[in-house]
Amino acid sequence: MKTINNPKCWTDLSAPVTNKMVHWPGEPEVSVCKLFDMNKGGPANVTTLSMSAHTGTHMDAPLHFVKNGKDISMFPLDLMIGPARVIEIKHDRFIPLEEVKQYEINPTERVIFKTKNSLSEWAKQEFKRDYVYLSSEAAQYLKEKKISIVGIDYISIGGKNNGKEVHQTLLGNNIWIIEGLFLKDVIPGLYEMICMPVKIKDSDGAPARVIIRKI
């Protein structure tokens, strides 16, 4: 992905779905294969997919960590398109409250965190146990600010020791989460964003296509 210079140019932040791409430990490997292949005498090309709903670039619905919460098919249409702010985090282990508080975050904002996770081609690598995650204090701050969406550049916004807490703090307050974004060449600033998760009834998450362009 190239650095964004043309305001009219849309940039795709979504990870390609490929065989054996990184996935959360304990969840099934990604399988993309041909059920029918015209090069092998098939009547058409038909691809089958097998993976967790929380693989690659995806959205978490409240149902992911909130009993009887909203499922991904209930993602509000008015949140799918609109301004989003990319904030670059310097801390190399987690997203601390002190850094987040430097920005004047407003209610209903869509906030995307770019961290050192974006320095590597994480989707093609083994699962990283030292990925940068959102601190519990910063999650609480975002809850108090009543933002609408938060995104991050790895497959989980929470860490090993606070994953459940961070998810519950956000999802329990109707803050929808985008995980697995590609932000390597994205310059911090304000963008127009389109985020379209697959509409899967009763699912706690779904793969999503996320694109942005500079405002």
Side-chain angles (χ1 to χ4, degrees):
M1 184 173 65
K2 297 180 178 179
T3 301
I4 301 170
N5 292 314
N6 184 351
K8 297 181 180 180
C9 178
W10 287 98
T11 299
D12 193 349
L13 305 184
S14 316
V17 176
T18 60
N19 270 311
K20 298 184 178 180
M21 70 185 295
V22 67
H23 59 88
W24 191 258
E27 294 182 358
E29 286 192 351
V30 179
S31 173
V32 182
C33 63
K34 287 284 193 297
L35 178 63
F36 300 115
D37 189 336
M38 294 178 71
N39 290 323
K40 297 180 180 179
N45 290 316
V46 178
T47 300
T48 63
L49 303 175
S50 177
M51 64 182 193
S52 162
H54 300 273
T55 304
T57 307
H58 66 277
M59 286 203 72
D60 288 351
L63 183 60
H64 187 31
F65 274 93
V66 178
K67 187 177 181 180
N68 300 321
K70 294 179 181 177
D71 68 47
I72 198 67
S73 72
M74 299 176 183
F75 181 48
L77 296 179
D78 59 351
L79 293 186
M80 290 185 175
I81 302 175
R85 182 155 42 140
V86 177
I87 294 174
E88 187 165 14
I89 298 297
K90 302 301 183 183
H91 200 289
D92 64 358
R93 292 193 298 113
F94 56 85
I95 301 173
L97 174 61
E98 293 74 17
E99 271 199 78
V100 177
K101 289 181 72 174
Q102 293 176 16
Y103 300 90
E104 295 182 2
I105 295 175
N106 300 308
T108 75
E109 264 203 278
R110 301 170 182 85
V111 178
I112 295 173
F113 290 114
K114 177 181 179 180
T115 75
K116 78 164 190 176
N117 295 332
S118 290
L119 295 177
S120 65
E121 296 288 336
W122 55 261
K124 300 177 182 179
Q125 300 172 355
E126 294 292 324
F127 178 76
K128 290 171 32 177
R129 298 193 177 277
D130 61 345
Y131 63 89
V132 179
Y133 60 90
L134 186 67
S135 69
S136 299
E137 295 78 13
Q140 184 67 30
Y141 179 74
L142 296 177
K143 166 192 165 183
E144 293 167 0
K145 287 293 182 177
K146 299 180 180 180
I147 67 168
S148 59
I149 291 177
V150 60
I152 197 167
D153 49 0
Y154 203 64
I155 55 174
S156 178
I157 197 166
K160 177 182 178 181
N161 297 320
N162 75 341
K164 183 176 181 179
E165 179 183 2
V166 165
H167 279 89
Q168 288 182 332
T169 297
L170 299 171
L171 297 173
N173 289 277
N174 286 315
I175 299 173
W176 298 73
I177 300 171
I178 310 173
E179 296 170 331
L181 293 168
F182 270 13
L183 300 173
K184 181 180 179 182
D185 297 311
V186 176
I187 299 170
L190 193 61
Y191 293 85
E192 179 181 4
M193 182 178 77
I194 299 176
C195 176
M196 294 288 188
V198 178
K199 188 176 182 180
I200 307 174
K201 184 67 176 172
D202 298 328
S203 178
D204 41 77
R209 192 72 178 264
V210 185
I211 60 175
I212 61 171
R213 65 179 174 185
K214 202 81 174 67
I215 293 178

